[in-house]
Amino acid sequence: MVKDSPKPFRVALISTGGTIEKTYDELHGVLTNEVSVLEVMLARLELGGVLIERVTLMNKDSLEMTEADHRLIAETALHKAREFDGVIIVHGTDTMAVTGEAIYATQSKPRVPIILTGAMRPYELRTSDSMQNLVEALLAVQLAERGVYVAMHNRLLAFPGVRKDTEMGTFVKD
Ligand code: GLU
C-alpha cells in the first residue's frame, strides 16, 4: 500500500453461487457451479482503496438453496456487517430476493450497506452481465447508506419489495 494513503475500505465478499459463478463443463456439455470464477473476475479489476476478504459460503444454483442456506447467508452477512465497512453477496438471481428479504427482516438497517448482486448470463459468456454487476456492487457498497440492496443492471434497489422480473429479465422494486 502507498505510504500515507487513506485507510482502505474493507469489504467482505460472500460468494454463494448462481449463474455468475457457472462454468462450462465440456465433458457433459452443461453449465455448472463447480469452480468459482470470482477470483478471475477480481484479478481483472483495478481495486485501489478497497480491501476484499473473500467468504466462500457455497456454490449453488439459488433454486437449489434450502431455507437453512438462505438463513446461513443472511446470518453471515449480518455478522460481517459488524466487522467490515461493507458487505457484498454474490448470489443466483432466482432467489436473491428471498435472501435479501431475510436479511432485511432481521435487521432493516445493518451497520453498513449489504449489497446483493449476481448475473443473468455466466461470466464465461461474451454477452455476460457479470462484470458490470460486480463493478456496480463494488461501487455501491462504498457509496450507499446503511441498508440492504440489489445492485444490478445500472440500478441500486433497496429492500423491502425488490424482486426479479422474469419477463423483463432484471430486478424491479414494487
Ligand atoms: N437459477 C439460477 C440461480 O438463481 C439462475 C439464475 C441466475 O443466477 O441468474 O442461481
Side-chain angles (χ1 to χ4, degrees):
M1 223 168 62
V2 183
K3 204 172 165 232
D4 294 335
S5 65
K7 255 176 75 189
F9 191 94
R10 295 176 63 245
V11 177
L13 176 59
I14 301 171
S15 53
T16 71
T19 289
I20 194 168
E21 297 209 76
K22 283 190 178 162
T23 48
Y24 184 62
D25 173 354
E26 61 195 27
L27 296 182
H28 301 97
V30 286
L31 286 164
T32 58
N33 282 109
E34 295 295 336
V35 293
S36 174
V37 293
L38 264 183
E39 287 306 328
V40 180
M41 294 174 71
L42 289 168
R44 286 189 51 200
L45 296 172
E46 303 259 359
L47 292 170
V50 171
L51 214 59
I52 292 176
E53 180 179 295
R54 291 270 276 109
V55 183
T56 310
L57 261 193
M58 61 191 82
N59 193 353
K60 281 191 177 184
D61 185 304
S62 77
L63 288 175
E64 285 163 15
M65 284 177 184
T66 61
E67 245 179 66
D69 288 331
H70 290 293
R71 221 175 21 247
L72 173 67
I73 300 167
E75 281 165 7
T76 307
L78 286 166
H79 179 75
K80 294 291 173 188
R82 293 201 285 271
E83 298 169 8
F84 285 79
D85 301 319
V87 178
I88 296 176
I89 306 170
V90 171
H91 199 295
T93 57
D94 279 328
T95 66
M96 190 183 280
V98 176
T99 296
E101 295 292 359
I103 300 169
Y104 182 85
T106 312
Q107 217 170 304
S108 59
K109 289 268 178 235
R111 194 181 71 84
V112 296
I114 298 179
I115 314 279
L116 290 122
T117 196
M120 303 271 175
R121 299 172 296 281
Y123 173 70
E124 292 211 336
L125 288 189
R126 206 170 17 175
T127 54
S128 178
D129 53 340
S130 56
M131 199 51 118
Q132 174 184 343
N133 296 333
L134 180 61
V135 168
E136 287 173 2
L138 280 161
L139 193 59
V141 80
Q142 297 175 70
L143 300 176
E145 307 267 308
R146 299 163 59 190
V148 187
Y149 306 84
V150 166
M152 269 184 76
H153 299 170
N154 203 36
R155 286 196 182 90
L156 182 64
L157 304 170
F159 283 93
V162 180
R163 64 174 174 87
K164 179 176 176 177
D165 183 323
T166 48
E167 274 174 23
M168 286 166 60
T170 195
F171 278 82
V172 293
K173 186 173 158 82
D174 293 325

